[in-house]
Amino acid sequence: DVKVTQSSRYLVKRTGEKVFLECVQDMDHENMFWYRQDPGLGLRLIYFSYDVKMKEKGDIPEGYSVSREKKERFSLILESASTNQTSMYLCASSVWGTRSYNEQFFGPGTRLTVL
Amino acid sequence: DQQVKQNSPSLSVQEGRISILNCDYTNSMFDYFLWYKKYPAEGPTFLISISSIKDKNEDGRFTVFLNKSAKHLSLHIVPSQPGDSAVYFCAASPSNEKLTFGTGTRLTIIP
């Protein structure tokens, strides 16, 4: 079974803090993704990565950055957290190169609250 | 610009009856469509998918229908069970790695 784990289930941070959200997958997937889920807005893609040290902006990258130093690990960084970044953050991974790449496997999510 | 829309935020269905969840899209480049199910405090899990070369795909109690001319897809669950109560997201892809998700529909199955 694919397993995607996220470092924290719940996180509370203060405005202006630097925040790291970590995601690890154990199935040697090439693709990794970061989404945020907000009521009425569904899942929105922040950043994704096809390979180590490679990153692509998603639909809402502003205020975020990412790091992928190892294939299994994809980090989301909030350089200076703001209250409008309070959200549920979901990490996902998928296999590259076949039609099944569309099937993304998700972690349990991190609920981040910025005060 | 919401390219994938789920116009019903919620739906309640009696146990044993059919649940029909709808999804509309605007991008004609989308050629692969998926449904995900999400329970509270868990990540979404893949449910069923369909390629644009098909108009129907069935997996047990779940069937997805695709109407390309109307840019509409639907998920049918028959018969509905209490464990089907969850939020359902449709998603679409234009032949690359990215998925665009809808806003979700909360399905409640009434015992």
Side-chain angles (χ1 to χ4, degrees):
Chain A
D1 272 358
V2 175
K3 192 146 189 194
V4 181
T5 56
Q6 296 183 228
S7 50
S8 306
R9 295 301 298 268
Y10 300 94
L11 211 51
V12 179
K13 295 291 181 181
R14 297 215 172 267
T15 301
E17 279 193 77
K18 190 168 186 174
V19 181
F20 292 87
L21 302 181
E22 305 286 341
C23 175
V24 177
Q25 50 93 5
D26 65 359
M27 284 301 290
D28 204 35
H29 284 175
E30 290 82 7
N31 302 327
M32 296 189 74
F33 307 82
W34 274 107
Y35 295 89
R36 61 179 282 178
Q37 182 194 356
D38 299 289
L41 296 175
L43 277 70
R44 293 180 293 165
L45 182 64
I46 304 171
Y47 266 97
F48 60 104
S49 169
Y50 294 150
D51 202 351
V52 175
K53 295 197 185 294
M54 176 274 168
K55 60 186 178 185
E56 293 279 345
K57 291 181 180 179
D59 299 318
I60 51 164
E62 296 79 18
Y64 304 94
S65 62
V66 290
S67 171
R68 192 159 180 207
E69 296 296 320
K70 293 185 177 181
K71 189 175 185 179
E72 68 271 18
R73 188 179 295 270
F74 192 35
S75 303
L76 180 69
I77 303 154
L78 287 67
E79 295 289 342
S80 177
S82 63
T83 54
N84 63 11
Q85 293 178 310
T86 291
S87 186
M88 169 69 83
Y89 289 88
L90 292 159
C91 175
S93 71
S94 68
V95 176
W96 181 88
T98 66
R99 198 68 243 201
S100 63
Y101 61 51
N102 286 141
E103 185 183 331
Q104 296 180 12
F105 296 85
F106 283 83
T110 296
R111 182 161 294 283
L112 172 67
T113 302
V114 182
L115 302 175
Chain B
D1 176 27
Q2 193 75 30
Q3 296 186 65
V4 180
K5 300 177 185 178
Q6 294 176 257
N7 291 318
S8 298
S10 63
L11 177 68
S12 294
V13 174
Q14 206 79 31
E15 182 179 357
R17 307 294 286 266
I18 182 170
S19 295
I20 300 176
L21 294 92
N22 293 305
C23 180
D24 297 296
Y25 62 96
T26 57
N27 189 341
S28 57
M29 299 300 292
F30 289 147
D31 71 347
Y32 200 75
F33 305 88
L34 305 87
W35 284 93
Y36 279 81
K37 176 179 179 178
K38 186 181 185 300
Y39 292 120
E42 294 184 15
T45 53
F46 170 76
L47 196 55
I48 192 169
S49 63
I50 188 167
S51 165
S52 60
I53 62 173
K54 294 185 172 183
D55 54 19
K56 177 182 173 181
N57 188 27
E58 198 170 346
D59 183 3
R61 296 186 299 115
F62 302 92
T63 304
V64 56
F65 294 92
L66 175 62
N67 182 333
K68 288 186 290 293
S69 60
K71 293 192 176 66
H72 177 84
L73 67 155
S74 61
L75 174 68
H76 293 208
I77 307 173
V78 182
S80 300
Q81 298 174 354
D84 297 329
S85 294
V87 177
Y88 289 79
F89 292 98
C90 66
S93 173
S95 300
N96 63 21
E97 317 295 327
K98 286 175 57 177
L99 291 177
T100 299
F101 284 85
T103 51
T105 296
R106 181 178 301 279
L107 176 65
T108 303
I109 305 302
I110 305 163

